[in-house]
Amino acid sequence: MAEKGHKRKKIKKHLFTKNRLVVLNEDSFEEIFSLRLTLMNVFVVATLGAIIIITVTTFIIAFTPLREYIPGYSSSKLRREATELALKSDSLSTALKKNEAYLQSVVKVLNGDLEYQKVNKDSIMASEVIEVDPKTLEPSEEELEIRKKVEEEEKALKTKKNK
């Protein structure tokens, strides 16, 4: 046990021993710069410097367009374009289905299976409209409870702001 305590004291003494860092002009041996340091000071400054560099680098990458160069991150422009293309493809597929239904009814008319007066593009598109049951649109009890909680929280926030 005594050795352990002796080693700790020796390490502590070594960490807090003051040393001088001197920068000299080699030709004239003139002192240009001088610092009094301990090993602990050097360790603390190096650690803080590393933490600051890591933090600044993280913020630069996270909040600038540099993150787009990291694999796995997509640009906001790319995401927006993908969303727009998804919407366009959805509307195009819907239009294609309507046109196919119209063409099938035209084929039926040409084959004599259906009268011409019954074939109208607007009536075909109207028949494609899906009726939604109004009961499914009514909020459930859980939704109503959540709405009440949100309203209460909003009222509490408004009263705090007014005070």
Side-chain angles (χ1 to χ4, degrees):
M1 281 309 264
E3 280 185 30
K4 207 175 207 182
H6 183 66
K7 285 184 180 181
R8 284 186 184 169
K9 286 181 182 179
K10 193 173 183 180
I11 291 173
K12 186 177 178 181
K13 182 180 177 188
H14 185 66
L15 283 175
F16 291 103
T17 302
K18 294 190 178 187
N19 298 304
R20 184 177 293 265
L21 174 68
V22 180
V23 178
L24 298 173
N25 184 349
E26 190 161 322
D27 293 332
S28 65
F29 293 109
E30 180 185 353
E31 185 177 313
I32 297 173
F33 183 68
S34 174
L35 278 176
R36 286 183 71 190
L37 300 170
T38 63
L39 196 56
M40 183 59 87
N41 289 348
V42 173
F43 177 72
V44 169
V45 168
T47 304
L48 288 176
I51 290 171
I52 289 170
I53 288 173
I54 290 170
T55 305
V56 168
T57 305
T58 302
F59 278 110
I60 287 173
I61 290 173
F63 297 112
T64 62
L66 285 176
R67 70 174 168 252
E68 295 172 13
Y69 295 108
I70 297 173
Y73 283 100
S74 61
S75 68
S76 57
K77 181 182 176 186
L78 183 65
R79 251 185 262 132
R80 187 172 42 251
E81 287 176 357
T83 305
E84 289 174 5
L85 289 175
L87 291 172
K88 283 182 183 178
S89 66
D90 186 43
S91 63
L92 286 173
S93 64
T94 305
L96 181 66
K97 287 179 185 177
K98 289 179 182 179
N99 284 336
E100 285 177 354
Y102 177 72
L103 289 175
Q104 286 175 356
S105 50
V106 168
V107 168
K108 286 180 183 177
V109 167
L110 292 175
N111 290 337
D113 296 338
L114 196 65
E115 293 180 18
Y116 176 71
Q117 289 85 12
K118 293 183 180 179
V119 178
N120 185 359
K121 193 169 187 173
D122 293 333
S123 65
I124 291 171
M125 289 181 192
S127 67
E128 296 264 336
V129 175
I130 299 172
E131 294 290 327
V132 179
D133 186 23
K135 291 180 182 178
T136 60
L137 297 177
E138 293 177 6
S140 66
E141 289 187 27
E142 293 174 354
E143 290 174 317
L144 292 173
E145 290 175 15
I146 292 173
R147 288 180 185 177
K148 286 179 185 176
K149 288 180 184 177
V150 170
E151 287 176 6
E152 291 171 0
E153 289 175 3
E154 287 178 354
K155 286 179 184 177
L157 286 174
K158 286 181 182 178
T159 55
K160 285 182 181 179
K161 286 183 181 179
N162 291 335
K163 290 182 181 180

